[in-house]
Amino acid sequence: MIGYNFMGKAHSNAWRQAPKFFDLPVDIALHTICGRNRTGVEKAAKTLGWKNASTDWMTVVTDPEIDIIDISTPTDSHHAIALAAAKNKKAILCEKPLGMDLAQCREMVQAVRKAGVVNMVCHNYRRIPAIALAKQIIERGDLGDRIYHYRARYAQDWIADPSFPLVWRLQSGTAGLGTLGCIGSHIIDLGRYLVGEYAEVSGLMETFITERPLLAETGAGLKAKAGKRMGKVDVEDAANWIGRFKNGALASMEATRFAHGRKNQITLEINGSGGSLVFDFEDMNRLKYYRASDPEETRGFRDILVTESSHPSMQAWWPPGHIIGYEHTFTNTFADFIQAVVAGQSVQPTFEDGYANEKMLSAIVQSAKTRKWVKVKN
Ligand SMILES: NC(=O)c1ccc[n+]([C@@H]2O[C@H](COP(=O)([O-])OP(=O)(O)OC[C@H]3O[C@@H](n4cnc5c(N)ncnc54)[C@H](O)[C@@H]3O)[C@@H](O)[C@H]2O)c1
C-alpha cells in the first residue's frame, strides 16, 4: 500500500477485516506500507499492522512477493504508480479520482488492459448496503420503467473557514481538480451506477476563497495548521451542474465544502415512473422507498433498515438492526476486490469506470469555462 494517512488507515482496516468477516478463498498478508517519510511510515506500519515499511514505491511495485498494489496517495502520483504496477503484473486498487486528467486515465486503462491485471477504483460508496439495495430496486424495475430524476449532493464544510491552510487538496498540481474531483466524483459515480451514462451537462464552478495561508508544516492532511505566508488557491471550492442521462433522466447535482454544518453529507433522491428512493449518508443504514402502486390509504415512504442478511454485503456483518458505519464501505469493497483478484476477473468500479468518471468531470469543467452545454464523450 502506497500512502499511509487518511485512506491508508481506512484501507489498512479493510484489508485486515475483509478476510475475517467475509467468506473469502484467501487470506490477506499486509506485506509493505510505503510513504515518503521514514519515521512516519515506520510508525504507520506498526500501528496499522504492516510487516515492512518502505520509502520507495518502485521497490514495492516490483517486489515479487506482492500480488496487490493499493494506491492511497494524492491524485498526482496515481498514474505513475499504476503504470508501474500494471507492468509488474500486480492487481491494482486505486483511490479516486483515477488520474489527473483524461490522458492519464486513458493510459491507466490501457495499461491494465494490456497487462491483463484485475483493477478497481475506490468508489466505496457503491458498497453501502442501502445504495446497493437501491441499485437492486431500480434493476428489478420497482422504480418503474423510466427514471425521471437523479438529485445528488455531496456537502462538507472543512474549508469554509478562510484561515484554513492551503493543503494539497486545494492545489491543482497535486489534486488535479478541487471539490468537484474529490467529492463530486463520488456522486457522479453513483449516478452512473444507479441511473446510467451521462449524455450532456451544464456546470458552474466557484472558488470563494482565492488565497489561503500556506501550511505551517508539510504532510499535515485534514488537520493541517496554517503558517504566516499566503498562497493562491487554484482549484474550485464548489460546483453545481445539471445534466441529462442517455436514458433521458435529468441530473441535478452539487459538490461543496462550504456548507456549514454539513460534515460529510451525501444525499440522493431518485424519482422513477413507479416510485422514489431517498438516501442520506448521515443515516447510511436506511433507504427510503416510495412505491406509487401501493394502496392509497397506506401509501408513503417506507423506511427500510438495511441490515438484514439478505441485503447486499450484510451477510458478513451483524444480526438485523446492528448497524454498520463508514469503515464497512471499504471492507465491503475490498472483499469483492479480493474475490475478483482470485477469480482473475475485475468487478465494478474498474479503471474504465474511473475513466468514464473523468469524462464527466472534464465535461463539467469545460462547460463551466465556456458557459455552454457540453456533450459527455462516452
Ligand atoms: N474513497 C474515499 O472516500 C476517499 C476519501 C478520502 C480520500 N480519498 C482519496 O485517497 C487518496 C489519498 O487521500 P488521503 O485523504 O488519504 O490523503 P492524505 O493527505 O491523508 O494522505 C496521503 C498519503 O500519501 C502519501 N504520499 C503523498 N505523495 C506520495 C508519493 N509520491 N509517494 C508515496 N507516498 C506519498 C503521504 O505521505 C500520505 O501518507 C486521494 O486520491 C483522495 O482523493 C478517497
Side-chain angles (χ1 to χ4, degrees), residues 28-146:
I28 290 288
L30 276 64
H31 191 288
T32 302
I33 186 167
C34 176
R36 293 164 300 179
N37 176 290
R38 166 67 53 196
T39 319
V41 75
E42 279 177 355
K43 187 167 171 246
K46 216 168 153 205
T47 316
L48 303 175
W50 294 80
K51 198 166 141 216
N52 308 295
S54 167
T55 53
D56 176 14
W57 62 258
M58 192 52 99
T59 62
V60 181
V61 300
T62 52
D63 189 330
E65 284 191 0
I66 292 175
D67 302 308
I68 296 171
I69 297 294
D70 174 345
I71 305 172
S72 290
T73 52
T75 328
D76 62 335
S77 50
H78 293 182
H79 174 260
I81 301 171
L83 259 53
K87 202 169 158 205
N88 286 280
K89 301 282 179 201
K90 311 296 186 194
I92 310 168
L93 189 136
C94 183
E95 263 304 343
K96 44 49 59 179
L98 187 60
M100 295 286 276
D101 51 34
L102 282 172
Q104 283 201 350
C105 293
R106 193 182 313 118
E107 279 178 24
M108 291 166 84
V109 168
Q110 284 164 352
V112 291
R113 242 192 240 154
K114 188 170 165 219
V117 294
V118 170
N119 56 90
M120 192 185 224
V121 59
C122 192
H123 282 297
N124 48 305
Y125 294 120
R126 285 192 186 204
R127 261 82 175 182
I128 293 172
I131 288 195
L133 177 65
K135 166 92 172 160
Q136 289 180 353
I137 290 171
I138 294 168
E139 274 188 342
R140 278 203 302 263
D142 288 346
L143 219 58
D145 54 6
R146 262 187 92 178

Side-chain angles (χ1 to χ4, degrees), residues 18 101 127 136 186 235 273 308 311 321 330 335:
D101 51 34
R127 261 82 175 182
Q136 289 180 353
H186 274 307
V235 296
S273 54
E308 301 293 331
H311 287 138
F330 293 96

Side-chain angles (χ1 to χ4, degrees), residues 14-24 26-28 331 335 338:
W15 291 123
R16 286 194 312 265
Q17 300 300 341
K20 295 192 168 56
F21 283 85
F22 288 82
D23 185 16
L24 300 179
V26 290
D27 202 357
I28 290 288
T331 313
I338 294 165

Side-chain angles (χ1 to χ4, degrees), residues 126-337:
R126 285 192 186 204
R127 261 82 175 182
I128 293 172
I131 288 195
L133 177 65
K135 166 92 172 160
Q136 289 180 353
I137 290 171
I138 294 168
E139 274 188 342
R140 278 203 302 263
D142 288 346
L143 219 58
D145 54 6
R146 262 187 92 178
I147 302 295
Y148 297 131
H149 291 287
Y150 173 68
R151 296 189 194 79
R153 177 172 191 244
Y154 199 146
Q156 301 181 333
D157 70 357
W158 59 275
I159 59 169
D161 177 357
S163 65
F164 186 83
L166 196 62
V167 293
W168 70 259
R169 279 178 166 82
L170 306 180
Q171 296 170 31
S172 64
T174 322
L177 287 168
T179 300
L180 173 64
C182 193
I183 59 176
S185 65
H186 274 307
I187 49 174
I188 288 171
D189 180 67
L190 292 178
R192 291 189 59 252
Y193 177 56
L194 295 168
V195 180
E197 295 297 341
Y198 299 98
E200 56 178 350
V201 71
S202 172
L204 60 86
M205 288 156 59
E206 188 61 54
T207 305
F208 300 116
I209 307 296
T210 53
E211 279 208 328
R212 288 180 181 271
L214 295 173
L215 283 172
E217 55 194 73
T218 53
L222 299 181
K223 292 177 192 138
K225 293 210 169 38
K228 294 219 158 46
R229 289 174 48 225
M230 299 295 279
K232 198 169 158 16
V233 177
D234 62 355
V235 296
E236 73 291 350
D237 285 334
N240 290 58
W241 62 103
I242 55 170
R244 201 184 301 273
F245 289 87
K246 281 185 167 172
N247 60 16
L250 302 183
S252 323
M253 302 167 72
E254 177 186 18
T256 181
R257 289 182 174 138
F258 278 72
H260 270 303
R262 301 300 180 195
K263 303 300 167 185
N264 192 54
Q265 193 187 40
I266 303 167
T267 46
L268 308 179
E269 179 167 324
I270 305 170
N271 312 114
S273 54
S276 296
L277 289 166
V278 175
F279 172 80
D280 181 348
F281 185 58
E282 289 180 355
D283 203 3
M284 64 166 271
N285 288 269
R286 291 180 182 278
L287 181 68
K288 306 252 185 343
Y289 173 41
Y290 179 96
R291 194 162 65 178
S293 60
D294 280 347
E296 191 178 84
E297 63 276 15
T298 51
R299 198 156 56 199
F301 273 98
R302 302 161 191 212
D303 191 355
I304 307 168
L305 187 60
V306 192
T307 57
E308 301 293 331
S309 61
S310 56
H311 287 138
S313 300
M314 285 309 294
Q315 79 285 356
W317 300 107
W318 314 113
H322 297 68
I323 57 178
I324 60 166
Y326 179 60
E327 68 272 31
H328 299 82
T329 67
F330 293 96
T331 313
N332 295 346
T333 304
F334 287 29
D336 283 354
F337 179 72

